[in-house]
Amino acid sequence: RVITRRIASLVRDIQVPSWRSLAVTFTNKAAREMRQRLEHLLGPEAQGLSVSTFHSASALILRREAQEVGLERNFVIYDDGDQLQVVRRAIREAGLDLASVTPRELLSKIDAEKNQGRGPEQMMVGDDPKRQAVQRVYRKYQAHLRSANAVDFGDLLLLLVELLKTNAEVRLRYQRRFQHVLV
């Protein structure tokens, strides 16, 4: 409610064009409710607003900037089942025993690394054989995703963060577009 009122105030009272604001939230339900409230408050002025989840906003930007992150615009976003299939293949190729670790456990560890902003090369591994095994699987998992022109949900956020950190031109373009980012 606070965010929707703030956006409505920006648009109505301060005359910020609606397309200059980006509102992001965690769930599709919350994004839908926010959009509905804004449409109720602003009427036709709500048309240009960008209201979505973090993952949806990331996917939209990455589709526009796909080449900058080594993807094609028609990249596929793998769901849980697809991810498990790829991680199973990566486990086999890494020579790990499936009895010692489950694909879901490894996928969870990979996702945790992505949530910390670390790709396989940035993992803190040290002399820990288990972490080294996770890193081997993570490398193979990422290689399979890229060869399929695919990403998982963690990649959506990780790739966008990396893109905005390293590409000043792209960063500036979105800074100019979205003067107000509300979370």
Side-chain angles (χ1 to χ4, degrees):
R1 185 169 182 258
V2 171
I3 291 174
T4 55
R5 296 282 180 183
R6 185 167 292 158
I7 291 170
S9 175
L10 286 169
V11 172
R12 277 188 297 185
D13 303 337
I14 303 175
Q15 305 299 308
V16 173
S18 59
W19 58 272
R20 297 289 231 172
S21 296
L22 169 64
V24 289
T25 187
F26 293 99
T27 67
N28 287 319
K29 181 182 177 188
R32 229 179 355 265
E33 286 179 18
M34 201 180 310
R35 174 158 294 288
Q36 289 169 348
R37 288 179 184 184
L38 284 164
E39 287 170 352
H40 176 74
L41 289 168
L42 294 172
E45 290 179 290
Q47 287 302 312
L49 284 170
S50 295
V51 179
S52 67
T53 64
F54 288 97
H55 290 93
S56 294
S58 295
L60 184 67
I61 292 170
L62 288 173
R63 288 210 189 276
R64 290 181 186 142
E65 311 296 338
Q67 292 173 321
E68 300 294 332
V69 295
L71 294 167
E72 295 174 27
R73 286 181 182 227
N74 64 341
F75 65 83
V76 178
I77 302 170
Y78 277 3
D79 65 14
D80 192 53
D82 297 323
Q83 293 171 43
L84 282 169
Q85 189 175 3
V86 174
V87 85
R88 283 187 189 99
R89 185 172 167 196
I91 290 168
R92 282 192 304 274
E93 290 176 4
L96 295 182
D97 179 16
L98 278 170
S100 64
V101 63
T102 68
R104 181 138 335 262
E105 285 175 274
L106 272 172
L107 200 53
S108 176
K109 290 178 188 303
I110 290 169
D111 190 53
E113 290 297 325
K114 289 182 181 188
N115 288 336
Q116 291 298 315
R118 294 188 292 258
E121 303 312 317
Q122 292 81 38
M123 276 185 68
M124 294 179 217
V125 176
D127 295 332
D128 184 347
K130 288 182 180 180
R131 303 257 321 140
Q132 291 170 355
V134 171
Q135 186 182 48
R136 280 196 319 271
V137 172
Y138 189 179
R139 280 187 187 122
K140 292 185 179 303
Y141 175 80
Q142 287 303 113
H144 286 299
L145 289 178
R146 290 303 166 267
S147 70
N149 192 40
V151 297
D152 62 16
F153 291 106
D155 283 332
L156 290 173
L157 303 178
L158 185 61
L159 288 171
L160 181 60
V161 167
E162 193 61 31
L163 174 66
L164 295 175
K165 276 184 179 177
T166 60
N167 191 315
E169 183 181 322
V170 171
R171 182 176 55 250
L172 185 59
R173 187 173 336 149
Y174 288 97
Q175 283 175 332
R176 286 182 180 145
R177 164 81 194 275
F178 297 118
Q179 291 179 331
H180 301 275
V181 178
L182 299 100
V183 180

